[in-house]
Structure formats: C-alpha cells, structure tokens
Amino acid sequence: MRTLNQFFSKIREINQRYAKPTVEMSRGVKFSLAVLRIYLFLLVVLMIYKFITVIKVV
Amino acid sequence: MDFFSLLYFRFKKVWKAVRLYLVIAGPGLVVMIADNDAGGITTYAATGAKYGYHLIWFLLLLIPIAYYVQEMTVRLGAVTKRGHAEAIFESFGAFWGWFSLLDLMIVDWLTLVTEFVGMTSALSIFGVPAWMTVIFVILLMGMVVLNGRYWTWEKIALGFCLLNLIYIPAAFMVNPSMADIVGQGLIPNLPGGLTNELFFLLMANIGTTIAPWMLFFQQSSVVDKGLLEKDIKMGKVDTFIGSVITVAVAVFVVIVTGTLLHGVPIDDAATAAKMLMQTNHYIGAFMAIGLFNAGLLGAICISLASSWAFGEIFGWAHSLNTKVKEAPWFYISFFITLVTAGIVPLIPGAPLVLITLFVQVVAVTLLPAALVFLILLLNDKKTMGEYANTPFQNIVSTTIVGGIIILSTMYGVSALFPNIFQ
C-alpha cells in the first residue's frame, strides 16, 4: 500500500513538474498538436470499431 | 611544400578525422543496424522471394529517409542533453509526455516479443529448444548491460552489428547475376503494377526502416555517451554510415532470397532459412544465424530505449555508466521488459500473429506523434539555437515525415482491415 502511495505521489510530482509546456505555442505548433489529436482520436475510434467487430464474430 | 610533404599532411588530416570518428561512432551505427531486426529481416526476405531484385531501387531510397529522420535526434540529444521522452514531457507537457511514454512502453514490449519469436525460431533450426534460447539471450544481455560502462556496452553491440553483415558473404555465395541486379533492381519499376500486395510490402519496408523506438533510443544513446554540440558533425557521419549499412544489408538479404527463393511464398525469415538449407546448407545456416543476431541486436536496443525513457521521466539514475546499486530501477525495468517478453513465445498457443498485428497498429499511433514532436522540437530556436532546422532541412524533413505518416497510417489501417485498399 505504501509503495502504491509513493508511486502515485511520484506521478503527481511528474505531472506538476511538466504541467506547463516550455515550447513556444506558436500557431504552427498549436495547429500541429490539434491535427495530431484528431488523427489519434480517429485511429482510436477505428481500433475500437475493429475490436467490437472481432468480439461480435467470436 | 613538396609532393610528399603535402601527401603526408593530407594523410595526417584524414587520419585525425578517422580517429575522431572512431571515438564518436556508435549511436548511429548501432541504431541503424539494429533497425534490421527480426521483423526487418523477415520483410526483406519476403520482398526478395516475392519480387526478386525488382525492389532494390526502393530500398536504396530509404537511405536518405532513415538518415534525415535520425540525424535530427543527434542534434536534439547533443544540444539539449535530454532523451526524447524527457524532451516531449518538458516541451509539450504531461499529456503528450504520458501518451508517448506509455505508447513507447507498449510498442517496445510487443516488438521485443517478435524479436524473441525470431530468435527462438532461428535457433530451433539448429535443434536448440525455445526455452534454452530465451534463457541464453537473457543471460547474454545481462552480461552485456551489467558491465557498468556505456563504452563497453557500445563496443559489444558494435560486435553484434558486424555479425549482421553475414548476409553479404551469403549473397556472394548464391552467385547472383550482376546484370540482372543492375537491370532489374536499379531501374525504378513496379513489378506487375501497383497491386495491393506490392503496396503492402512497400509500406512494410518503410515501416521496418523507421520505427518509433529508434528515435527514443538514438537520442538517449547520444546523451548517455555524452556527445556535445562539437560532436554533431561526426554524429551525423555516424548516422549516415549506419543508414548506408542498414540498407546494404537489406539489399543483400533481398539478393539471397531473390536468387534462390524467387516465386516461393515466405511468411517468415526462419522458413526462408529452412528452405535455403535444402539448397545450400551454409547459406541457410548464415540466414538463421543472421536472423538470431538481428533479433538479439533489436532486443538489446529496444529494451534499453524503454528503460532510458522511464529513467528520464521518473528521475531514476539511468545510465549504462552506473552500477546496479546506483541505478536499480533502470536495470530492474530493463530486465522486467526483457523477461516478460521472453516468456511469451514459450506459452503454448500464445497469440503471436495477433501480437505481430498489434505491433504494426500501435506503432502507427506512436510514430506520427514522435515524428511531429521531433520536427517541432528542432524548430524551437530558443533551445536549439544555431542547430535548429534550416528552411531546407524543414522542407526535406517535413516531406519525409509527411510521407511516412501517410504510408504508415495506411499500413496500420490495412493491418486492421486487410481488404480496405482492394
């Protein structure tokens, strides 16, 4: 239990340490990150769809 | 200055550059040659068996692609002194950092399983049971990693890289027709037109040349070796030589299978080795030894890529220059990744085909993100200063990265839905 607490406090510490991105958020960077989010979202949707269809067949 | 003095002066200058290169050489060579892992050798063997020498020109195109992507990690590592995982956390925040780290962990572990599958099937040709191969590999890698010095680890890894060249004598032993290699292989052509099967194989070749773990590995390796800004030039040379060697090995594998197994359907390199043994025992043995070595080299680098990344983020000591007592978590995470992946091929009925499919799909979620972050980081003038991407480098790298993202996405999607592009 203690080890688990230490682990989660480490995660919180990491989240705090890297809470603020240091890269300059120019238009290009913001656009790239937005496109990346959409791309990954679509990919995850495809994977979930595939998973559901495989489960249905099984 | 007379002729001989000038010659001596020139020789001294070149020798000095060679000696400097030998000091800097390592990260680029190791990452590029380890790129020819068990999956890579299988892809090249299948390419040669299916299309003979016809796709050699395409493999040659992969030299600049691999070089331009990987040299960016040299600059980033030498300038920031941070690994790729840490650079993503710091520059883009915790969300993108965790996404990259967890994705890297999954894709590395799955790829490591495929390396063990390659190694066990390669040694099974010589009658070595799978459990013995797994134990041997874990012990060997333990000995390589636990010596407490990056330098020693790197030189041993370079020794394994040399063994990767075993395909070169194998290719000469099959007596290929030079006229056919030049006539069919060096002139760009698409045998039978751009069919779905050919497209899938081209994408597989790109997918095996640029893998997400390579970015993380080389940058961490550059940092662990302690390369500085002044070493960037030689680091680039190292990466370029590595990219030439990796493609040369791929070409020689294609020549071997393209000469002896042209038209024979091949699912994996171990099957190719078995078939080659029936034709020529030595060539089959070379193929099997090469496959084992490729899996071993891939496993060494991939398991380190994860451990370095975790060490960077969790703040553990994470250098090969540290002893186990000084960096226990670094070595524990290394062995946990290694042992758990090694156990999978030993489980009867383990879903190895599903794992191979998952490697392709999960890699597609990580690769575009890692590449986009790489370009954005290389354009951060505040951090990179004079080593930031020039407009020309941006045009080249953006074109390459854009192409890789489109093709790897199609590759991943076609792995999920095999009939989608028919």
Side-chain angles (χ1 to χ4, degrees):
Chain A
M1 195 66 190
R2 203 175 139 215
T3 318
L4 213 63
N5 281 339
Q6 278 177 337
F7 177 74
F8 282 117
S9 74
K10 186 78 190 169
I11 302 280
R12 278 195 294 273
E13 182 201 314
I14 292 168
N15 285 340
Q16 276 172 0
R17 197 191 325 152
Y18 298 113
K20 208 174 169 207
T22 58
V23 78
E24 193 189 332
M25 283 291 167
S26 62
R27 269 190 203 171
V29 174
K30 278 182 186 169
F31 175 76
S32 305
L33 294 181
V35 171
L36 205 57
R37 275 176 206 268
I38 295 166
Y39 169 85
L40 291 170
F41 176 75
L42 289 175
L43 217 57
V44 169
V45 169
L46 268 181
M47 277 195 242
I48 292 169
Y49 172 75
K50 176 70 181 181
F51 183 72
I52 291 168
T53 49
V54 168
I55 293 286
K56 269 185 183 173
V57 170
V58 173
Chain B
M1 203 182 278
D2 63 39
F3 174 75
F4 287 106
S5 301
L6 194 70
L7 200 67
Y8 178 71
F9 178 72
R10 286 265 164 86
F11 172 77
K12 285 272 281 183
K13 206 174 165 186
V14 171
W15 180 236
K16 194 181 168 190
V18 170
R19 279 195 311 180
L20 182 62
Y21 169 70
L22 291 176
V23 174
I24 306 291
L29 277 179
V30 173
V31 76
M32 284 296 184
I33 298 174
D35 180 36
N36 282 341
D37 60 354
I41 299 297
T42 295
T43 307
Y44 307 137
T47 303
K50 180 74 188 169
Y51 295 105
Y53 310 141
H54 287 279
L55 294 180
I56 288 176
W57 65 271
F58 181 77
L59 291 173
L60 295 176
L61 284 183
L62 297 177
I63 294 176
I65 292 177
Y67 168 73
Y68 269 104
V69 171
Q70 290 299 133
E71 74 85 20
M72 288 195 277
T73 64
V74 177
R75 278 187 282 149
L76 200 53
V79 173
T80 63
K81 318 286 183 291
R82 291 189 310 233
H84 201 52
E86 196 180 352
I88 293 172
F89 261 92
E90 196 159 306
S91 299
F92 301 102
F95 170 78
W96 287 113
W98 285 119
F99 163 79
S100 302
L101 190 65
L102 295 177
D103 223 353
L104 178 76
M105 188 185 78
I106 296 168
V107 80
D108 275 4
W109 188 82
L110 291 169
T111 314
L112 208 49
V113 172
T114 65
E115 307 299 356
F116 272 104
V117 172
M119 285 187 281
T120 51
S121 56
L123 288 196
S124 73
I125 295 171
F126 302 109
V128 180
W131 63 268
M132 201 182 276
T133 305
V134 170
I135 291 173
F136 170 70
V137 167
I138 291 171
L139 289 177
L140 182 68
M141 284 176 61
M143 280 162 57
V144 172
V145 166
L146 293 175
N147 68 72
R149 282 191 70 192
Y150 174 89
W151 192 91
T152 314
W153 170 85
E154 189 184 83
K155 298 311 166 222
I156 296 172
L158 284 170
F160 288 124
C161 289
L162 268 181
L163 199 57
N164 204 258
L165 305 180
I166 199 166
Y167 296 105
I168 299 175
F172 281 102
M173 283 164 73
V174 300
N175 292 319
S177 156
M178 276 309 288
D180 287 349
I181 291 173
V182 174
Q184 297 170 9
L186 297 186
I187 297 162
N189 67 102
L190 295 173
L194 191 59
T195 58
N196 191 45
E197 202 175 6
L198 175 63
F199 190 59
F200 194 81
L201 211 52
L202 292 179
M203 288 191 288
N205 275 288
I206 294 175
T208 190
T209 307
I210 304 291
W213 65 264
M214 293 170 67
L215 306 176
F216 290 83
F217 175 86
Q218 191 170 4
Q219 193 170 330
S220 296
S221 182
V222 162
V223 174
D224 206 355
K225 184 159 182 166
L227 296 192
L228 304 169
E229 283 94 329
K230 67 181 173 60
D231 304 319
I232 287 176
K233 199 174 164 188
M234 280 299 170
K236 284 181 174 186
V237 173
D238 185 41
T239 307
F240 180 74
I241 294 174
S243 57
V244 171
I245 294 176
T246 194
V247 171
V249 169
V251 169
F252 283 107
V253 175
V254 166
I255 290 174
V256 171
T257 56
T259 307
L260 296 182
L261 300 174
H262 192 188
V264 179
I266 282 178
D267 289 331
D268 61 276
T271 312
K274 278 180 204 160
M275 287 177 176
L276 287 169
M277 268 192 168
Q278 290 162 9
T279 319
N280 182 320
H281 183 78
Y282 291 107
I283 295 169
F286 278 19
M287 191 78 179
I289 293 168
L291 176 63
F292 172 77
N293 180 61
L296 185 67
L297 207 50
I300 288 174
C301 296
I302 292 164
S303 43
L304 267 179
S306 294
S307 302
W308 265 324
F310 272 97
E312 288 160 15
I313 302 311
F314 281 84
W316 307 328
H318 55 275
S319 170
L320 286 169
N321 287 317
T322 52
K323 300 280 182 199
V324 181
K325 273 186 184 175
E326 297 160 339
W329 286 107
F330 174 64
Y331 291 106
I332 287 172
S333 65
F334 175 82
F335 281 107
I336 286 177
T337 315
L338 196 64
V339 173
T340 51
I343 288 171
V344 176
L346 304 180
I347 300 169
L352 299 178
V353 176
L354 199 67
I355 286 172
T356 311
L357 181 94
F358 251 74
V359 172
Q360 293 160 359
V361 176
V362 180
V364 164
T365 62
L366 179 57
L367 188 61
L371 289 172
V372 168
F373 292 143
L374 191 63
I375 291 187
L376 293 178
L377 288 167
L378 262 294
N379 277 289
D380 187 8
K381 291 203 168 50
K382 198 171 69 184
T383 312
M384 294 301 295
E386 61 178 299
Y387 298 100
N389 268 1
T390 61
F392 174 74
Q393 283 172 324
N394 268 334
I395 291 169
V396 174
S397 55
T398 310
T399 309
I400 290 172
V401 166
I404 292 173
I405 290 174
I406 291 168
L407 290 174
S408 65
T409 305
M410 291 170 87
Y411 183 49
V413 171
S414 63
L416 277 177
F417 307 97
N419 301 321
I420 198 165
F421 297 120
Q422 276 179 356

